[in-house]
Amino acid sequence: MTITTDIAFHGGPERIAELAREVEERGGVRGIFVAEAAHDPFVALALAATATERIEVGTSIAVAFARTPMAMAYSAHDLQRLSGGRLVLGLGSQIKPHITRRYGMPWSQPAARMQEYVLALRAIWDSWATGAPLDFRGEFYSHTLMTPMFTPQAHGFGAPPVLLAGVGEAMTEVAGEVADGFLTHGFTTERYLREVTLPALERGRAKADRTLEGFTVKGSPMVATGRTEEELETAKAGVRSQIAFYGSTPAYRPVLELHGWSELGERLHALSREGRWTEMGPLLDDEVLNAFAVVGPPEEAGAEVVRRYGDVLDRLTLYTPYTADPQLVALVAASVREAAA
C-alpha cells in the first residue's frame, strides 16, 4: 500500500516560509498545499519554494475560471522555475456565484470549459518549451499570439502536473481524460468515492485510452480528533459546521442524494439563504458526521483513514476545519503513515 501525506496551509503568506522549512526538516511530508481562499496561493507558494529544497509545493486549489489560461500558465511557469520543478498545479472551477459575482468572470458549461482550459494550458506551455507557434482555438478560449518579448525563458523542468478537483461526474470524467490527477473534495464519503468518483475517473481515462495506472488521486478526508473528550467534541462541532456549509450548496447535492439525505440538503440550503449558519451544523446526526469524517483519538483516526481510503488514494491532506493543535494533526499523520506501512 502506497499513500503519502501532505499538509495544508491556511492563512497569510507571512508565516509560510518558516512553516515550510520546519516541515521539510521534520520529514515525513511530501508537499505543502495552499488553497485559494482569502489570499493568492501563488504568492505563498513562491515564498515556500524559495525556503525549501525538496518538498513539493501545490495549489489545492487555484481557481481556474478566475484567470485566463494564459494568466495561469505564466504563474505556474514561474513557480515551476522558482521551485526547481516541484510545483503541483491543482485547479478547480469554484461555483457559479463566486465566479460571476466575486470574480466577475464568465460562467458556462463548467466541465467542457475546464477540459478546454487544461488543453489550452498545455498548448501554451508547449509553445514556450519548443518554440512552436501558438495556435489554440477552442469554443471558450483562443490563444494565437505569442511573440519573443512575451515568451518566458525555458527552465528545463517540464510542465507541472495538473490535478483537477471535482465533485460531479462530468467534471470528474474531464479530470480523468485530460489531467494528471484528481483532487477529491473534502465533502465526499467513502461510498461516493467508490461508487461515483472512481467509475467516472475510469470513464475519463478510457476516453484517452488510458487506465488509472500512474494517475494521482489525492484526497482531503475530514478528521475530527482530540486527546481529550473536550477536544474531540470541539472538533466534531467544527466538522459538523463545515459539512453543513458544503451540504447547503446545490452543486454538491449528489453526495447527499447517494445516501438518501436530499431533504437534509434542502433544509441546509434554505437556512443558508436566510443566513442562519449557526443552526446548520447541529442538524447533522452522528450517521452523517461519521460518513463524511473520521472521528476518534489520533491513533485510531489515522488507522481508520487508511482503512477507508488506503487502496484508493495515492496521497492525502488531513482536513481539520477547526482550530487544531499542529502537534495533534502531526500525530494523526504519523498514525496514517504507520498504518499504511
Side-chain angles (χ1 to χ4, degrees):
M1 180 185 298
T2 301
I3 186 169
T4 57
T5 55
D6 303 299
I7 68 164
F9 175 80
H10 304 283
E14 61 277 356
R15 266 276 292 140
I16 194 169
E18 179 185 355
L19 175 64
R21 278 192 297 267
E22 292 174 358
V23 167
E24 184 168 81
E25 290 170 2
R26 185 168 63 240
V29 170
R30 182 173 174 182
I32 183 167
F33 281 76
V34 177
E36 182 161 16
H39 302 277
D40 187 313
F42 294 106
V43 173
L45 290 180
L47 294 170
T50 55
T52 57
E53 297 178 354
R54 298 183 304 278
I55 61 171
E56 293 179 339
V57 294
T59 54
S60 182
I61 52 92
V63 180
F65 298 159
R67 305 167 177 83
T68 67
M70 183 63 70
M72 184 71 75
Y74 278 118
S75 295
H77 179 91
D78 285 350
L79 192 48
Q80 180 76 331
R81 178 179 186 137
L82 193 62
S83 67
R86 291 181 284 138
L87 173 64
V88 178
L89 183 62
L91 300 177
S93 64
Q94 250 294 356
I95 58 175
K96 182 179 180 180
H98 283 274
I99 297 302
T100 60
R101 294 169 54 197
R102 183 157 67 95
Y103 287 106
M105 295 289 280
W107 175 274
S108 65
Q109 300 176 256
R113 182 182 286 270
M114 185 66 83
Q115 179 184 39
E116 192 174 290
Y117 194 103
V118 175
L119 296 177
L121 276 178
R122 298 199 192 283
I124 294 166
W125 288 332
D126 182 70
S127 173
W128 292 345
T130 67
L134 178 59
D135 188 21
F136 183 86
R137 303 168 192 265
E139 179 182 355
F140 307 100
Y141 303 103
S142 178
H143 300 280
T144 59
L145 177 64
M146 183 53 57
T147 60
M149 179 176 177
F150 299 102
T151 302
Q153 182 181 0
H155 49 52
F157 299 111
V162 177
L163 277 57
L164 287 186
V167 176
E169 293 183 69
M171 187 68 77
T172 305
E173 279 195 35
V174 166
E177 183 177 3
V178 302
D180 302 298
F182 182 72
L183 297 168
T184 70
H185 199 286
F187 188 73
T188 195
T189 65
E190 180 186 6
R191 181 181 172 190
Y192 190 85
L193 185 61
R194 295 183 184 278
E195 295 183 16
V196 179
T197 301
L198 287 180
L201 287 175
E202 289 170 345
R203 291 193 299 271
R205 298 301 283 169
K207 290 179 182 178
D209 293 322
R210 297 177 182 176
T211 68
L212 288 175
E213 183 71 27
F215 183 85
T216 298
V217 182
K218 176 174 165 54
S220 300
M222 290 195 205
V223 176
T225 189
R227 287 161 293 203
T228 66
E229 190 63 30
E230 182 180 3
E231 280 187 343
L232 185 57
E233 288 304 314
T234 298
K236 288 163 66 174
V239 171
R240 276 193 169 93
S241 293
Q242 192 65 39
I243 295 170
F245 170 75
Y246 287 138
S248 70
T249 305
Y252 304 153
R253 191 70 52 79
V255 187
L256 294 174
E257 290 173 348
L258 179 69
H259 290 267
W261 297 328
S262 297
E263 183 179 347
L264 173 62
E266 293 169 2
R267 292 174 67 192
L268 293 172
H269 181 61
L271 288 172
S272 72
R273 289 177 63 87
E274 296 174 8
R276 296 161 63 184
W277 303 102
T278 59
E279 300 176 39
M280 291 162 54
L283 292 179
L284 277 60
D285 60 23
D286 285 348
E287 181 184 8
V288 176
L289 174 66
N290 285 282
F292 282 96
V294 171
V295 180
E299 297 80 8
E300 295 178 10
E304 177 63 11
V305 166
V306 174
R307 187 199 68 77
R308 290 190 192 185
Y309 305 111
D311 63 332
V312 177
L313 301 180
D314 303 294
R315 58 193 300 180
L316 61 85
T317 301
L318 299 173
Y319 188 4
T320 53
Y322 50 92
T323 303
D325 179 355
Q327 292 185 348
L328 180 61
V329 179
L331 285 175
V332 180
S335 176
V336 169
R337 291 192 293 271
E338 182 180 352

